[in-house]
Amino acid sequence: MTTPTEHLVSVDGSDVRFACAEGDTLLRAALRAGVGLGYECNSGSCGSCRYDLLAGEMHDRRPDAPGLSPRDRRKGRRLACQSEPRTDCLVKVGPIAPVATHRPVRQTAELRSITPLTHDMQEFVFAAEKHAGFRPGQYAMITLPDGNVERAYSMSNLGNCYGEWKFVVKRVPDGHATSILFDKLEVGASVELDGPYGHAYLRDKENQSIVCVGGGSGLGAMISIVLGAAALPGAGAWTVHLFCGGRTARDIHVPESLVRAGRRLGMLQVHTALSDVGETEDDTAYRGFLHEAVVERLAGSLTDFTYYAAGPPAMTDALMRALVLDSGLDADRLYFDRFC
Ligand SMILES: Cc1cc2nc3c(=O)[nH]c(=O)nc-3n(C[C@H](O)[C@H](O)[C@H](O)COP(=O)(O)OP(=O)(O)OC[C@H]3O[C@@H](n4cnc5c(N)ncnc54)[C@H](O)[C@@H]3O)c2cc1C
Ligand code: FES
């Protein structure tokens, strides 16, 4: 049964059916119903949510989304993260998995504080109506009031029952959303927060030797993962290497909360990698790219770890090549959601 403002989506070749509220996307409605369609970025860029529309009408939120190639468009393929059903629909999708984390919820949240971390990174803390249900390393979609711009941001804290959502955001020069966040949004402003999303969350029952790699904008997700490991009952058995990257020392921020987390973990080692070859006062920093730092610093034990990574696609792609293609790490020991 659907209400007049919902449309029924049926999945071809199966008995899977779910309701999609008017204005919601095919992908998010599926996840809210516990139907795990494939996806990564939720923003129209990675292409991992492609599907075929067999019957019904869809509105395309972002007709020029880079996630579809010209060949996909010729074949009539679509992106579930950008498709809003306008009628009941029949769709053909890839493999469906159960949703292993909290189901995403849309809610209003109020901006409570803004804290500068570096010259171009700030922490934004929001208070939402309901509890903050998410796993360390996941992200939420934030719709900003000014211009209705929506972007993905990873939580930098842990899920909690008092509705607190923290994000570390890096300013993008002339970026649409970050200009609003950094220059216009004031404490007390309301945003729409929709989440959690993402597959690159801490697997607390797997390998207790982990490496977290956060390039620039990826720092928040990695803070959350380190805090998540430190909050586990057996935290003393965990070995964690955290790699943070930037161009120069002024791009790096290591929050105080990580120092406290380090006291609970068996071992926490923080490495920094600086890609600009100029002078630096930080003698311990690796000079080069993040993926090179990981390979050099963990040489000999690279394949002992499970990896979590977040940051620009150039960084996660280079890391995947270095670890999986060049060093023989099993691809299922590297978790990341592309920030594209
Ligand atoms: C899974 C994920 C997690 C992320 N986590 C973080 C984080 O924790 N911290 C952080 O600083 N950044 C994060 N990002 C990046 C963030 O979502 C923004 O891309 C970034 O802040 C720049 O946004 P902007 O609007 O300022 O820049 P712009 O250059 O204006 O836009 C940036 C990107 O937004 C996309 N975009 C353009 N139009 C649309 C549209 N209509 N709908 C949706 N997307 C559109 C484009 O692909 C473009 O690459 C994450 C991205 C993803 C995908
Ligand atoms: S394009 Fe839809 S999830 Fe990335």
Side-chain angles (χ1 to χ4, degrees):
M1 269 295 271
T2 59
T3 68
T5 52
E6 289 180 333
H7 304 294
L8 186 69
V9 179
S10 308
V11 176
D12 186 49
S14 76
D15 55 7
V16 175
R17 282 176 178 66
F18 55 91
C20 181
E22 183 80 26
D24 206 0
T25 68
L26 176 63
L27 173 66
R28 297 188 204 181
L31 299 175
R32 293 187 216 289
V35 177
L37 303 187
Y39 76 103
E40 270 184 53
C41 72
N42 218 333
S43 308
S45 299
C46 72
S48 43
C49 64
R50 279 171 299 190
Y51 76 100
D52 296 305
L53 178 64
L54 303 182
E57 263 179 53
M58 284 286 177
H59 166 71
D60 196 348
R61 279 190 178 183
R62 202 179 164 196
D64 59 347
L68 287 177
S69 66
R71 185 160 179 268
D72 289 327
R73 290 181 201 283
R74 280 198 301 278
K75 291 174 83 177
R77 307 215 72 196
R78 292 163 182 265
L79 296 173
C81 71
Q82 300 303 317
S83 294
E84 288 179 19
R86 288 287 155 88
T87 62
D88 290 355
C89 293
L90 176 65
V91 299
K92 187 175 166 194
V93 298
I96 296 176
V99 175
T101 68
H102 300 79
R103 296 191 188 176
V105 174
R106 272 194 289 197
Q107 51 185 323
T108 303
E110 185 185 302
L111 180 59
R112 283 290 161 83
S113 67
I114 305 173
T115 309
L117 304 179
T118 67
H119 66 103
D120 67 352
M121 271 201 284
Q122 292 187 349
E123 180 194 68
F124 295 85
V125 179
F126 292 91
E129 299 155 340
K130 300 173 197 148
H131 72 288
F134 59 86
R135 299 257 202 116
Q138 289 197 287
Y139 68 90
M141 304 302 296
I142 299 183
T143 305
L144 298 167
D146 195 337
N148 234 13
V149 183
E150 186 184 58
R151 294 289 184 268
Y153 292 105
S154 311
M155 281 70 81
S156 61
N157 60 333
L158 296 181
N160 56 81
C161 56
Y162 39 89
E164 186 179 73
W165 300 70
K166 293 186 178 183
F167 304 90
V168 172
V169 181
K170 185 175 165 67
R171 184 197 273 274
V172 169
D174 300 323
H176 205 157
T178 50
S179 298
I180 298 171
L181 273 165
F182 280 69
D183 302 331
K184 296 190 182 161
L185 212 63
E186 291 182 351
V187 170
S190 289
V191 301
E192 188 188 279
L193 199 153
D194 184 4
Y197 294 99
H199 309 291
Y201 53 84
L202 178 67
R203 267 60 177 182
D204 51 18
K205 306 235 168 6
E206 292 182 18
N207 194 353
Q208 297 178 334
S209 296
I210 65 169
V211 180
C212 301
V213 188
S217 54
L219 177 69
M222 296 302 105
I223 295 174
S224 178
I225 290 199
V226 178
L227 296 182
L232 292 171
W238 284 67
T239 294
V240 181
H241 288 272
L242 169 66
F243 287 80
C244 307
R247 286 179 53 220
T248 67
R250 74 184 198 122
D251 297 327
I252 305 290
H253 170 77
V254 179
E256 183 58 31
S257 58
L258 289 188
V259 178
R260 288 195 296 275
R263 291 190 202 116
R264 285 186 49 86
L265 291 163
M267 192 204 83
L268 171 64
Q269 194 167 352
V270 179
H271 311 257
T272 54
L274 304 178
S275 59
D276 262 14
V277 284
E279 289 294 309
T280 176
E281 286 167 13
D282 183 357
D283 302 335
T284 60
Y286 177 86
R287 309 312 301 271
F289 291 109
L290 257 182
H291 65 283
E292 298 167 337
V294 173
V295 171
E296 196 170 306
R297 294 272 168 100
L298 303 179
S301 59
L302 269 180
T303 53
D304 295 347
F305 296 94
T306 293
Y307 292 78
Y308 297 90
M315 184 219 97
T316 45
D317 288 352
L319 189 69
M320 187 168 66
R321 276 195 302 276
L323 294 176
V324 178
L325 299 181
D326 301 343
S327 307
L329 181 83
D330 282 345
D332 59 7
R333 297 266 295 277
L334 170 58
Y335 295 104
F336 63 89
D337 290 308
R338 276 175 282 181
F339 276 26
C340 48

